[in-house]
């Protein structure tokens, strides 16, 4: 019989189960995590014009999005290899409302990798569902290790749980990594074999860093009947002031029923796109030249800055996997624990407070992403490193060598100085990015 205390049951099934309830007083609002990493770039002028042109529309948009937006989303996914034009599509004002509706429609317990995007967990907790964090492979984040996933599912079921949904990412926030195709395939195959529905968060798929050998596949290409794809356009296309997201459901009887139920939840909760936001989403999804050029330039810029931040972290004695996508870097400062402890920093919340103050920019701790609160991990965003004014950010976007700009160099130097102070206090540390200093911590998640 299922125990009456789900948290107690969950803790036996998975020590990494995400606890419910508010954080202890004075330890920060860990219940809700930070938003997606900020873009750090001016709004595209053509996009601003589209928004302004739609602001005078007096009529409300329909729940699930207007026909023009859904058709634009269909074309967007078609160009990325998801060619079944019969698939159902729905839109919502952001990824969080869309995932909330999906989680409510599917029911049951939710499985996610550790760490994971900060906005995945609150949806399930709000609905009263249990959330289970599953360790990731050593080489990447975004997806659970397939064997750990199978073990977690079976243990949860053995103790009376009802796992139904796995949420994963093909280009990960917070780790900025991309799962290798073979790892992704094994994980989705394991999930499908256990009857789980997979939600693939592809928010960052169009922000791959150029010049790497990264190969990205959607699990919907591998197992089209078991996967719903979600893309939050705030990742690669829209500013946070214009929240919009789309979901693509499998073209099956189950997928049709799921789409209908999600539409019911969006309608009931009033999760409807404003006309200017719908117009903006439609515009970017059609990928005109201005949007494509900005996307390419932004990805290249963030890649350069993320690469520099990565080298700075390693030189300062920290650990990180090489960033392959997005606008962020996930850093482990455990090698500097003695020096941090001397400053009163003993866990992720302390680290967040310390670095946010010292760096003058948001530095959310790993606990925001479901990681071990005792671990000294933090997500650093590249957006704030592009400059503090619109003119500086615009200059970063157009500079042939952005790392040589005085404001970018100054901000990167600040990061290095903070870490150098800690490294000097900690004594010799490994900085080659290999072995225990480059791989060991990933396997502990």
């Amino acid at each position: 019989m299922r125990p009456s205390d789900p948290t107690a049951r969950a803790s036996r099934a998975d020590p990494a189960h995400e606890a419910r309830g508010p954080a202890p007083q004075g330890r920060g609002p860990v219940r809700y995590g930070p938003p997606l990493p900020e873009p750090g770039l001016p709004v595209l002028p053509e996009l601003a014009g589209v928004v302004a042109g739609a602001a005078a529309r007096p009529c409300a948009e329909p729940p699930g999005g207007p026909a023009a937006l859904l058709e634009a989303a269909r074309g967007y996914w078609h160009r990325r290899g998801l060619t079944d034009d019969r698939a159902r599509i729905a839109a919502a004002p952001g990824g969080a409302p869309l995932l909330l509706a999906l989680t409510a429609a599917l029911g049951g317990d939710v499985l996610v990798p550790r760490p994971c995007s900060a906005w995945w967990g609150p949806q399930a907790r709000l609905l009263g569902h249990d959330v289970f964090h599953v360790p990731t492979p050593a080489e990447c984040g975004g997806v659970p290790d397939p064997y750990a996933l199978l073990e977690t599912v079976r243990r949860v079921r053995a103790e009376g749980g009802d796992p139904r949904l796995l949420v994963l990412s093909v280009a990960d926030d917070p780790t900025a990594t991309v799962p290798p195709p073979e790892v992704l395939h094994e994980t989705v195959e394991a999930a499908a074999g256990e009857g789980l529905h997979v939600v693939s968060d592809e928010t960052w798929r169009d922000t791959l860093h150029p010049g790497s050998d990264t190969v990205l596949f959607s699990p919907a290409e591998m197992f089209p009947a078991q996967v719903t794809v979600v893309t939050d356009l705030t990742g690669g296309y829209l500013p946070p002031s214009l929240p919009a997201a789309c979901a693509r459901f499998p073209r099956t009887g189950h997928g049709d029923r799921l789409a209908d139920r999600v539409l019911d939840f969006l309608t009931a909760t009033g999760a409807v796109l404003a006309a200017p936001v719908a117009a903006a989403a439609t515009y970017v999804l059609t990928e005109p030249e201005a949007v494509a050029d900005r996307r390419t330039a932004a990805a290249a810029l963030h890649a350069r800055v993320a690469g520099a931040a990565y080298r700075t972290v390693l030189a300062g004695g920290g650990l990180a996997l090489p960033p392959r996508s997005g606008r962020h870097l996930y850093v482990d400062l455990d090698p500097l624990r003695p020096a941090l402890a001397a400053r009163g920093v003993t866990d992720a919340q302390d680290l967040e407070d310390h670095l946010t103050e010292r760096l003058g920019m948001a530095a959310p701790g790993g606990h925001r992403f479901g990681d071990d609160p005792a671990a000294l991990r933090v997500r650093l965003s590249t957006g704030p490193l592009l400059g503090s004014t619109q003119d500086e950010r615009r200059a970063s976007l157009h500079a042939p060598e952005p790392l040589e700009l005085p404001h970018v160099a100054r901000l990167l130097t600040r990061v290095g100085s903070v870490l150098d102070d800690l490294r000097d206090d900690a004594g010799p540390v490994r900085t080659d990015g290999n072995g225990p200093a480059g791989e060991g911590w990933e396997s502990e998640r």
Side-chain angles (χ1 to χ4, degrees):
M1 184 173 69
R2 186 172 185 173
S4 58
D5 181 358
T7 303
R9 170 187 60 76
S11 65
R12 292 196 301 272
D14 178 11
H17 176 261
E18 185 171 9
R20 292 184 188 170
Q25 187 174 5
R27 301 305 297 151
V30 298
R31 177 178 297 213
Y32 304 111
L36 295 175
E38 60 186 85
L41 293 172
V43 175
L44 191 66
E46 292 85 350
L47 177 61
V50 169
V51 174
R57 294 181 188 174
C59 299
E61 300 292 355
L69 171 55
L70 303 185
E71 189 58 33
R74 196 181 310 279
Y76 167 86
W77 275 309
H78 192 282
R79 292 188 293 275
R80 283 153 182 78
L82 302 181
T83 57
D84 186 353
D85 292 336
R86 302 169 301 163
R88 296 278 299 277
I89 296 173
L98 200 49
L99 185 59
L100 176 67
L102 273 163
T103 306
L106 286 164
D109 300 330
V110 180
L111 296 105
V112 297
R114 174 182 291 274
C116 69
S117 292
W119 57 277
W120 293 356
Q123 320 309 319
R125 291 199 300 273
L126 182 64
L127 295 167
H129 297 182
D130 284 334
V131 179
F132 296 90
H133 286 274
V134 185
T136 56
E139 66 267 35
C140 67
V143 300
D145 176 88
Y147 298 103
L149 175 65
L150 289 173
E151 176 65 15
T152 301
V153 169
R154 291 166 185 171
R155 292 179 66 186
V156 170
R157 285 178 176 157
E159 298 189 5
D162 184 22
R164 298 186 192 178
L165 171 61
L166 168 64
V167 186
L168 53 77
S169 179
V170 297
D172 186 42
D173 170 25
T175 66
T177 59
V178 176
E182 61 275 12
V183 174
L184 179 65
H185 187 280
E186 290 176 5
T187 298
V188 179
E189 183 177 42
E194 292 296 326
L196 302 179
H197 190 80
V198 176
V199 168
S200 176
D201 177 9
E202 302 189 4
T203 295
W204 299 101
R205 70 164 296 153
D206 294 325
T207 66
L208 294 187
H209 294 174
S212 68
D213 56 356
T214 304
V215 177
L216 186 149
F217 284 95
S218 170
E221 299 177 69
M222 304 171 177
F223 295 87
Q226 285 83 28
V227 178
T228 294
V229 177
V230 171
T231 297
D232 190 330
L233 297 176
T234 307
Y237 292 93
L238 295 176
S241 58
L242 299 171
C246 295
R248 180 188 183 276
F249 301 89
R251 184 58 173 174
T252 62
H254 173 70
D256 287 342
R257 291 189 296 273
L258 179 59
D260 289 339
R261 191 64 174 146
V262 165
L263 188 58
D264 287 341
F265 279 100
L266 294 177
T267 303
T269 58
V272 179
L273 288 166
V277 178
T282 303
Y283 174 72
V284 299
L285 285 171
T286 59
E287 300 181 280
E289 184 177 358
V291 170
D293 289 347
R294 168 58 72 89
R295 179 188 64 214
T296 300
L301 172 60
H302 284 287
R304 294 287 299 278
V305 177
Y310 170 71
R311 294 187 293 272
T312 298
V313 166
L314 293 187
L319 314 176
L321 288 172
R324 301 300 186 196
S325 65
R327 307 188 289 250
H328 44 280
L329 180 71
Y330 200 58
V331 178
D332 187 347
L333 296 183
D334 191 75
L336 305 177
R337 183 177 289 274
L340 285 165
R343 291 167 166 79
V345 177
T346 61
D347 62 16
Q349 181 63 59
D350 291 336
L351 183 62
E352 174 182 309
D353 296 340
H354 179 77
L355 290 183
T356 296
E357 180 181 2
R358 293 291 306 278
L359 297 176
M361 56 183 272
H367 60 304
R368 308 283 182 180
F369 311 100
D371 214 339
D372 181 0
L376 295 177
R377 296 172 191 148
V378 66
R379 186 189 73 184
L380 301 180
S381 296
T382 53
L385 301 177
L386 304 183
S388 56
T389 68
Q390 291 286 72
D391 288 341
E392 287 183 345
R393 295 165 184 169
R394 194 174 293 109
S396 298
L397 181 64
H398 297 295
E401 297 294 338
L403 301 181
E404 296 179 3
L405 293 173
H407 60 271
V408 175
R410 181 180 69 254
L411 293 168
L412 284 168
T413 299
R414 181 185 301 169
V415 175
S417 296
V418 170
L419 295 179
D420 286 345
D421 289 345
L422 295 171
R423 182 194 58 191
D424 292 342
D425 291 347
V429 295
R430 294 188 59 173
T431 60
D432 58 5
N434 296 314
E439 296 179 359
W441 65 274
E442 291 87 5
S443 63
E444 296 174 4
R445 290 204 295 270

